[in-house]
Amino acid sequence: EAQVTQNPRYLITVTGKKLTVTCSQNMNHEYMSWYRQDPGLGLRQIYYSMNVEVTDKGDVPEGYKVSRKEKRNFPLILESPSPNQTSLYFCASSKIDRGHQPQHFGDGTRLSIL
Amino acid sequence: AQSVTQPDIHITVSEGASLELRCNYSYGATPYLFWYVQSPGQGLQLLLKYFSGDTLVQGIKGFEAEFKRSQSSFNLRKPSVHWSDAAEYFCAVGGREYGNKLVFGAGTILRVKS
């Protein structure tokens, strides 16, 4: 089954404690992306990757890092989380086609930073 | 700035009634347009997309959308709503003018009353 898998689904943690949210896709997609969803703001892109070892900033990259060492994985790293990063996070992937638009989303990771 | 506007934050319709959700985008000569649906606790599912050609596109679950370039709109419609359609709906725009990302609207929450 084609899917994008995020882990964990839920996490409550404290300010300053480094965390990583993993994302894996099994569709051999070149393009992967991270979004955060906040009420009234829709989804905003954090980082994206066009292929292995190619990453770039989205609209709200501050406080986040990513890496793309393998095609299937695209982890999101919060080196020093802060309460304003409390949000619902989605990973997405797509083939490089028609403007590289993400079409497959994970089920989301709800992060609470206390 | 690039933007996507969904003017209705909440909409309530009766089961069996018709539905139209509005979406306007700020610019783009050749936009790629999408509607996604998000059920509670779930990721985003693609309902339909428009890249080019026929401006009336059919999607899954009985939804359709019409692209009107003169109005910069891409409204989502369904002739008869079912209770299971209650969810949050997001319009998104991509394409060359939007770089390697989708720009999302803030979402419209649909409630269905029986």
Side-chain angles (χ1 to χ4, degrees):
Chain A
E1 179 189 353
Q3 58 185 3
V4 178
T5 304
Q6 298 178 226
N7 280 296
R9 292 290 313 279
Y10 304 91
L11 179 63
I12 301 174
T13 187
V14 296
T15 298
K17 185 177 181 182
K18 180 180 178 179
L19 67 91
T20 299
V21 184
T22 64
C23 174
S24 181
Q25 50 94 3
N26 63 0
M27 295 166 280
N28 201 35
H29 286 165
E30 298 88 358
Y31 185 95
M32 297 187 74
S33 180
W34 276 103
Y35 295 88
R36 61 178 288 173
Q37 182 182 10
D38 301 289
L41 296 177
L43 277 78
R44 294 176 293 167
Q45 191 181 48
I46 303 170
Y47 269 95
Y48 65 92
S49 170
M50 301 287 282
N51 214 324
V52 175
E53 302 291 1
V54 181
T55 63
D56 210 344
K57 297 177 181 178
D59 292 323
V60 288
E62 294 77 20
Y64 305 94
K65 288 175 59 178
V66 293
S67 69
R68 188 90 181 273
K69 294 184 171 59
E70 305 165 283
K71 196 172 187 179
R72 64 183 293 123
N73 296 323
F74 191 47
L76 179 69
I77 303 156
L78 285 70
E79 295 267 1
S80 183
S82 62
N84 64 11
Q85 294 177 297
T86 292
S87 187
L88 179 59
Y89 292 84
F90 288 100
C91 180
S93 74
S94 76
K95 291 193 69 60
I96 296 290
D97 183 28
R98 297 282 194 169
H100 334 297
Q101 306 306 324
Q103 292 191 12
H104 298 263
F105 281 79
D107 285 337
T109 295
R110 187 168 292 281
L111 288 183
S112 294
I113 315 295
L114 305 178
Chain B
Q2 308 157 348
S3 70
V4 178
T5 302
Q6 293 181 245
D8 303 303
I9 298 173
H10 295 94
I11 280 186
T12 300
V13 299
S14 298
E15 191 168 16
S18 64
L19 170 70
E20 183 169 27
L21 301 182
R22 296 181 290 165
C23 173
N24 292 91
Y25 61 94
S26 58
Y27 71 91
T30 54
Y32 300 151
L33 297 157
F34 306 82
W35 276 99
Y36 287 88
V37 60
Q38 184 182 30
S39 298
Q42 302 290 316
L44 278 74
Q45 181 183 22
L46 182 69
L47 282 176
L48 48 77
K49 61 189 177 188
Y50 171 80
F51 289 156
S52 63
D54 192 345
T55 56
L56 183 64
V57 294
Q58 303 297 320
I60 62 171
K61 305 185 180 187
F63 285 92
E64 66 177 28
E66 185 172 12
F67 170 52
K68 293 186 177 180
R69 186 184 301 277
S70 61
Q71 299 176 18
S72 297
S73 69
F74 189 57
N75 294 348
L76 182 71
R77 301 194 294 248
K78 187 169 185 177
S80 178
V81 169
H82 188 262
W83 64 266
S84 61
D85 293 324
E88 188 163 15
Y89 292 80
F90 292 94
C91 179
V93 181
R96 194 176 304 114
E97 296 96 337
Y98 292 83
N100 295 310
K101 62 182 180 181
L102 285 176
V103 178
F104 283 83
T108 297
I109 296 172
L110 173 64
R111 295 173 55 197
V112 179
K113 59 182 180 180
S114 54

